[in-house]
Amino acid sequence: MIRRTLACMLTFGLVACATPPSSPPPSPETKTAPPARDDGHKGPAEAAPEAAAAAAPPVDLTPVPFEVARAAFIRNTAARHGLEPDYIASVLDQAQVRQPIIAAMARPAERVKPWNEYRPMFITQARIEGGRKFLAQHRDELMRVQQRTGVPAEVIVAIIGVESSYGANTGSHRVLDALYTLAFYYPRSGDPAKLEREVRRELFFRDELANLFVLARDEKLDITGLKGSYAGAMGMGQFMPSSYLDYAVDGNGDGRRDLFTSYDDVFSSIANYFVKKGGWVRGGQVAVPATLAPGREEFNPTEWAPTWSLDALARRGYQPSAPVQPGATATPVTLEGSTGKQYWLGFQNYYAITRYNISKMYAMSVFQLSQAIAGQELPPA
């Protein structure tokens, strides 16, 4: 989630990354036991903290001097995680505030691109061919993970392709500098309406900075040498420190979770994220194209979980254009295509991809890239 996620954070659009607001309880048309809702925990992408905004507790907006905030961070991190305050302070002494990172975060949001402009940014012939080559090179490891977790190899490869160009671009910023900068110098726009979000973002990065200390200790990593995106995401799958701690897996059994150089660990960790965070269904479909009956109004539920039965969607005019597994529930997806509206039905595994990065277009890009890598013909954008 490097360039893509950064675009998402700045355009919100890696993507239309607007987080769906809380919705009323499901109507009688929906299943009574919907899949797990997003709990606000951070996903690998820098955009993920937006998921918690609606349900987050109040935050104190009173300005805090840097020296006070830094001292409190050292004290609290030491107490919470059993670290020596002097060690934390010594590491922070080596951190540098990076103005380019502040400038990038302060950059005005671009317009949200429609699907026909968005997809070509992530699905190109070079990326498809690169994905096929990558899958062929690591087929044995990927198939072991697929068999163990149920997450298809091509989906894992597509994530790595979108996030880091198959490991070629995992970020050049020192993670310590990135998180330190955003934890204590997150840019302020001066707009009172944006202040709460800006404070929450700063506190999010402060938590990630604390998690970086824990990660370095637990995984025996050089905290001053780690490189990643300008928002602190690391490795081939671009995990933030909290997600690294919560979802990374030791795939090769060497006693470490290495998301930088160990393909076994990377593949297993991405699949584990989909299963544990997204509720991935083994053998389940991701999405199928659909039609909307003429004259019927589009249905765009604010809750993205796929709780709508096919009968309920049919009453709203939606019909799948491909076979659907019996008993499946879905959420309708509308995309602005080059020749007009495109309609899709997204299932639980589509929802799982949105937990990796909170964007319907991101999820569709990953899904369609995975299909192309697997040799299937893509529909027009």
Side-chain angles (χ1 to χ4, degrees), residues 108-145:
E110 301 172 2
R111 71 180 180 91
V112 176
K113 290 179 171 61
W115 172 243
N116 64 300
E117 295 180 27
Y118 178 87
R119 192 179 83 166
M121 296 191 300
F122 304 107
I123 302 181
T124 63
Q125 192 58 40
R127 184 161 280 163
I128 293 169
E129 293 173 358
R132 291 172 179 170
K133 181 179 179 181
F134 187 88
L135 192 154
Q137 289 175 332
H138 303 285
R139 184 175 298 277
D140 290 345
E141 302 102 306
L142 285 161
M143 294 310 296
R144 283 196 297 269
V145 174

Side-chain angles (χ1 to χ4, degrees), residues 74 77-88 210 213-214 217:
I74 294 171
T77 302
R80 286 177 58 193
H81 301 297
L83 296 163
E84 289 295 327
D86 289 346
Y87 164 70
I88 298 172
F213 280 90
V214 179
R217 178 193 64 192

